[in-house]
Amino acid sequence: MRDEQSGGGRLQLAQRLHLEGRAAEAEHAYRELLDDGMAGTAARHWLGFLLLQQDRLEEAQLLLASAIAQDASHPEWHFNLGMAHARLGQAAAAISAMQTAAELDPGQYFYWTNLGAQLAQDGQAVRAEAAYRQAAALNPACADAFYLLATLLLGQQRYPEARQCNAQGVLTEPAGRMSLIAVGQALCDLGRHGEAQALAQSWLEREPSNPVAAHLLIAFGKGEAPTVCSRDYVAYTFDAAAPAFDLALQRLRYRGPQLVADWLMAEGCQPASLEALDLGCGTGLVGSVLAPYARTLTGVDLSEGMLRQADGKRLYQQLHHADLCDFLASGAASYQLICCMDTLIYLGDMRRFFALAAARLGPDGALLFSTERLDEGSGYLLGRSGRYRHHPDYIRAELWAAGLRIRQFAEVKIREEAGCPIAGHFVCAAHAER
């Protein structure tokens, strides 16, 4: 009983109330101790921490600073004061307090991540990077340190390093949190191709009929790449992605619709004037740009899930569930505008597609499409992403072979991946006689 009535015993009781979530009782108990010579200093800190948790920031800051003025030996007290300063927008004071915490106890990785975040926010990129790297070294299983560092590097356009840091973050996530696709691609980003192949092989053994596992095993470097992605792979992938597809591409800053909109504006196209075909129409993101200019708008996609989403937007007069080359080969109608945005990345060999598109393109028509850029080699390559990249010389040669001539060939950022820009091309082609 005597111990419970002592300052130390009363402080422990207040802390127990705090831990149990009985905030009002804990606050009262802490305040009863503020003038206690032995326990009062600690009570000031813990009351300040409690108020910090309740967003009573000014009170918290005063109490935490007062506790430290009496006893500056506790790193967590400095850290909590730093958090109060940070949430009050007092960057310099937050950095100073967190730096002190890290110096007093340099082994706490979260001191370094929070210090790094404050330094980054204050524009001190070099110090922020050092803090994040210290956190990652202290706790290689800390995903936050890698993600925060990746964000910092992205802001400096250090894209290869940022991508590797993001990959390290992915691999430190708890098992099952990230998709097998994300894990495999992260392994590839870090040059661990054998592990990526083993992951895909194991996946395929568990699910022998899964087209994604089969495709990624090849994309990760085991086996000869096909000339086009299998229809099963494309349909399976996009059926699964359809419900959240628009939001996902918004996060990836997909530029396809804007590129088409800019082209239509530059060409001076008139409203409701075009017979338009949207190949690989997906949920209708490009269709929403084409619709005001189209007299009729036809959409084609291999994914029934995507077509259901597109149908709900009421943009298209016709929607067809079909492979794009099969659709082009099966009809005779001609179009003034054929769009194929972010779709040819699932075709390696473009020869048949260009020939079929040329046959369905009206005399004054235009073919718009985008690709991902291949810098090495001269043809096309199935990347670790599972998508094809094409060399600009290959695209030009295949368009020429199909009797099409380039009217516009622009290097553009198609979208982002892990925050890094994906380099590509936006191309407009037309019949040679135009």
Side-chain angles (χ1 to χ4, degrees), residues 362-392:
D364 296 321
L367 168 65
L368 305 182
F369 64 92
S370 64
T371 64
E372 293 185 17
R373 190 180 76 209
L374 176 67
D375 293 320
E376 64 273 20
S378 58
Y380 58 86
L381 178 71
L382 180 63
R384 307 308 184 202
S385 65
R387 304 185 301 267
Y388 291 93
R389 291 180 287 132
H390 296 85
H391 196 280

Side-chain angles (χ1 to χ4, degrees), residues 84-136:
H85 284 309
R87 288 162 64 180
L88 285 166
Q90 300 165 352
I95 289 168
S96 177
M98 290 181 180
Q99 183 71 54
T100 300
E103 289 169 354
L104 288 171
D105 188 359
Q108 296 293 339
Y109 77 90
F110 61 90
Y111 288 174
W112 294 101
T113 55
N114 282 275
L115 173 60
Q118 289 302 308
L119 289 165
Q121 188 174 330
D122 196 48
Q124 300 186 51
V126 174
R127 291 182 64 195
E129 180 176 346
Y132 290 148
R133 292 194 184 280
Q134 179 67 13

Side-chain angles (χ1 to χ4, degrees), residues 51-237:
L51 298 182
L52 177 64
Q53 292 176 312
Q54 298 175 341
D55 286 330
R56 295 159 64 182
L57 301 177
E58 290 83 0
E59 296 175 86
Q61 181 190 52
L62 289 172
L63 286 161
L64 292 165
S66 175
I68 289 171
Q70 296 174 36
D71 183 355
S73 65
H74 300 277
E76 69 272 19
W77 295 14
H78 291 277
F79 178 76
N80 289 334
L81 177 60
M83 293 299 292
H85 284 309
R87 288 162 64 180
L88 285 166
Q90 300 165 352
I95 289 168
S96 177
M98 290 181 180
Q99 183 71 54
T100 300
E103 289 169 354
L104 288 171
D105 188 359
Q108 296 293 339
Y109 77 90
F110 61 90
Y111 288 174
W112 294 101
T113 55
N114 282 275
L115 173 60
Q118 289 302 308
L119 289 165
Q121 188 174 330
D122 196 48
Q124 300 186 51
V126 174
R127 291 182 64 195
E129 180 176 346
Y132 290 148
R133 292 194 184 280
Q134 179 67 13
L138 286 169
N139 185 1
C142 174
D144 283 350
F146 293 112
Y147 292 145
L148 287 165
L149 180 54
T151 299
L152 184 73
L153 296 172
L154 285 172
Q156 299 173 15
Q157 298 185 8
R158 294 161 63 182
Y159 297 124
E161 293 173 86
R163 194 173 182 102
Q164 287 200 335
C165 283
N166 183 78
Q168 288 174 296
V170 169
L171 296 183
T172 60
E173 295 281 9
R177 178 172 293 180
M178 307 300 290
S179 71
L180 292 175
I181 297 172
V183 173
Q185 291 174 344
L187 288 167
C188 287
D189 286 339
L190 294 172
R192 295 159 61 178
H193 301 295
E195 293 174 71
Q197 292 169 18
L199 178 76
Q201 183 69 58
S202 176
W203 183 8
L204 188 60
E205 289 170 358
R206 293 193 307 273
E207 302 177 38
S209 62
N210 190 307
V212 177
H215 180 75
L216 290 181
L217 181 59
I218 297 172
F220 292 163
K222 188 169 184 179
E224 185 176 349
T227 58
V228 299
C229 293
S230 76
R231 299 180 187 188
D232 286 345
Y233 166 72
V234 174
Y236 188 100
T237 299

